[in-house]
Amino acid sequence: QSIPDLALIGDSSGSMEANLLRGDERPYDLLLRADWSLFNWLERTGKIYQIMLAAVNFSNETYFSGWHSYKEIRKIKEEIFKFQNGGTVLNPEVIRKLYTERKDPFLAIMTTDGGLSNMDEAAEELINLVSAGNHLAIIYLAGNRGYFGGADQRFIDSLKDYAQIHKVEDAHDI
């Protein structure tokens, strides 16, 4: 059974707190675990050789790896595992490139704590991604709830009719 091409959209903003040496579970640690587990499963099952992959990393900047096969997975991993520790802006033009550069339908998995400073325009472009025939799943790292004054929940709520939302409180939810 084939699976769709896969795009990983990762939030590496300061609120994701990437101090992995503390030994506690911060949102960025959960992002790393989710993405690493996905890569591991795809490799173990051999499905990774059948699909194209892309990565988007957003914080102060939004980086896009382009679409690549397994032969170039290093480019995907370098992009998704690069912690920026800045603000939280998801550039809608990069999301547009994600779905206009790939004609076959794909699954986009976004991992975020939801505190985007441009949530309305980001949500609009994610809805356009789905309207173009693609699928969206959001791993909502809800451990920072309250930190954003409810803005994170408004962002997630604006996408609930277009995406599968998976709320994660801690590593046991992954």
Side-chain angles (χ1 to χ4, degrees):
Q1 182 177 357
S2 66
I3 61 172
D5 293 333
L6 179 65
L8 298 174
I9 304 170
D11 178 347
S12 68
S13 65
S15 63
M16 297 289 281
E17 302 177 41
N19 188 345
L20 303 180
L21 299 177
R22 284 192 295 229
D24 51 359
E25 295 170 348
R26 299 294 183 186
Y28 193 72
D29 179 51
L30 297 176
L31 177 144
L32 294 175
R33 288 184 196 201
D35 289 348
W36 191 258
S37 296
L38 181 59
F39 283 131
N40 188 28
W41 178 81
L42 287 169
E43 288 172 346
R44 271 191 330 231
T45 61
K47 294 182 184 299
I48 202 161
Y49 307 109
Q50 306 165 12
I51 63 173
M52 296 295 287
L53 299 155
V56 173
N57 178 326
F58 68 98
S59 178
N60 282 343
E61 301 291 329
T62 304
Y63 299 112
F64 174 44
S65 67
W67 287 95
H68 299 283
S69 70
Y70 177 74
K71 291 178 184 177
E72 299 176 294
I73 196 165
R74 177 187 50 77
K75 293 179 181 179
I76 305 301
K77 289 181 177 179
E78 284 175 358
E79 204 63 73
I80 203 67
F81 297 135
K82 183 185 341 179
F83 186 63
Q84 295 186 59
N85 197 28
T88 315
V89 177
L90 177 56
N91 185 331
E93 292 176 23
V94 174
I95 297 302
R96 192 172 309 113
K97 280 179 68 174
L98 184 66
Y99 68 85
T100 57
E101 289 186 7
R102 188 81 199 134
K103 298 304 175 196
D104 293 331
F106 63 89
L107 168 62
I109 300 176
M110 179 179 189
T111 307
T112 183
D113 60 10
L116 282 72
S117 58
N118 67 330
M119 75 172 95
D120 293 333
E121 60 184 347
E124 181 180 340
E125 202 56 50
L126 290 166
I127 291 168
N128 290 341
L129 178 146
V130 172
S131 298
N134 303 294
H135 304 279
L136 177 63
I138 299 174
I139 300 173
Y140 171 42
L141 304 175
N144 281 341
R145 279 180 307 169
Y147 182 80
F148 305 107
D152 54 330
Q153 192 63 54
R154 286 193 304 278
F155 174 70
I156 297 301
D157 288 347
S158 71
L159 294 167
K160 68 181 178 195
D161 293 334
Y162 303 93
Q164 290 184 349
I165 311 289
H166 304 277
K167 186 176 175 182
V168 175
E169 297 281 347
D170 60 39
H172 302 291
D173 295 335
I174 293 181

